[in-house]
Amino acid sequence: MKKAIGIFDSGVGGLTVYKAIRNTFPNEDLIYFGDTARVPYGPKSPNTIIDYSLQNARFLLQQGIKILIVACNTSSAVAIPALQNLSAIPVIGVIEPGAEQAAKTTKNKRIGVIGTEGTVHSGAYTVAINKLLPEAVIFSQPCPLFVPLVEEGWQEHYVANIIAEEYLADMKKQNIDTLVLGCTHYPLLSKTIQKVMGEEVTLVDSAKAIAAYLSCYLDRENDGQKGKDTFYVSDNESKFSEIAQRILQDNISNLTRVHLYESWFKD
Ligand code: DGL
């Protein structure tokens, strides 16, 4: 039987990762879990994020997946070692693919990283980029208000522009040539971010980077069967569907709300 790729995020933003993977691997079955009951993860402490991530992963492992994709940058930044201890299947987060892409893109070795507070404070992108490019200088900035802006559908609203100008004012002075969009929601703000940063700065979309990275684990061979999509959320399916429609420009079906079963909390 064909096993699916499991993807989890703190909520709906990880659909940017789902979309990139679906476009690259049209024949794979994908199971997406969005922890909409407990979003946002960005401002929470590392221990809480690790707990939630393990519970989400256990749920997906119970569905019999072959690879676990951690779409959430905040979970990827702090929970990958714990998640890798859970199971023998490959566990892939967004940080390494994004860091690799940034290291390949930069010419002047001055790189910006924006993300949630959790991601930026973890320093995970800085460590991953410097592993590949020790001489690179990294500038990081949390941009927490970008998440609700996207969820409200205001990514091109003038308010988004004002907030982006405010958050990115220091970043603009650093002469960076590459900026990592280190949060699931930020690719949806890329027009606004590009406008504020200027055309000379290349934006690295961690969602696209992980889809490309996955090619090392899967072949794109076409077995002629269109992949199946299954979506689960821990709360509010209708809100998820509404935002998903905006992100994917398509209606999603096969969406189920699951409760936080006790079995998720057991080792
Ligand atoms: N999915 C989160 C991330 O990529 C953003 C939303 C949240 O704070 O939970 O970091």
Side-chain angles (χ1 to χ4, degrees), residues 12 36 233 235-246 251-252 255-257:
V12 70
T36 47
V233 289
D235 193 23
N236 209 340
E237 310 91 295
S238 54
K239 182 81 183 166
F240 182 87
S241 293
E242 182 198 313
I243 303 175
Q245 215 284 335
R246 283 207 302 268
N251 286 322
I252 59 165
L255 169 65
T256 311
R257 183 195 167 182

Side-chain angles (χ1 to χ4, degrees), residues 244-264:
Q245 215 284 335
R246 283 207 302 268
I247 295 179
L248 303 174
Q249 302 286 303
D250 203 359
N251 286 322
I252 59 165
S253 50
N254 221 356
L255 169 65
T256 311
R257 183 195 167 182
V258 288
H259 292 272
L260 302 180
Y261 293 114
E262 264 189 23
S263 61
W264 297 15

Side-chain angles (χ1 to χ4, degrees), residues 24-88:
T24 313
F25 301 100
N27 306 115
E28 294 290 343
D29 289 349
L30 305 181
I31 303 178
Y32 181 96
F33 175 72
D35 192 10
T36 47
R38 303 186 292 191
V39 70
Y41 285 10
K44 297 197 167 79
S45 70
N47 282 341
T48 298
I49 297 160
I50 293 170
D51 283 349
Y52 290 179
S53 302
L54 289 171
Q55 291 152 15
N56 302 340
R58 280 192 196 106
F59 169 72
L60 285 171
L61 288 167
Q62 284 164 10
Q63 316 307 309
I65 53 169
K66 61 179 174 186
I67 296 184
L68 177 66
I69 305 293
V70 184
C72 180
N73 284 255
T74 312
S75 292
S76 298
V78 300
I80 293 292
L83 290 167
Q84 282 170 337
N85 280 338
L86 255 194
S87 152

Side-chain angles (χ1 to χ4, degrees), residues 155-158 160-162 164-165 168 172 189-201 203:
Q155 48 268 39
E156 282 163 47
H157 194 283
Y158 73 92
N161 208 65
I162 295 170
E165 286 282 4
L168 301 174
K172 277 167 77 173
L189 273 165
S190 53
K191 261 197 203 156
T192 301
I193 296 169
Q194 190 79 69
K195 200 162 91 194
V196 170
M197 291 306 297
E199 287 304 320
E200 57 293 351
V201 174
L203 304 185

Side-chain angles (χ1 to χ4, degrees), residues 14-24 247-249:
L15 288 176
T16 53
V17 174
Y18 154 82
K19 187 176 174 182
I21 294 175
R22 172 46 77 227
N23 288 341
T24 313
I247 295 179
L248 303 174
Q249 302 286 303

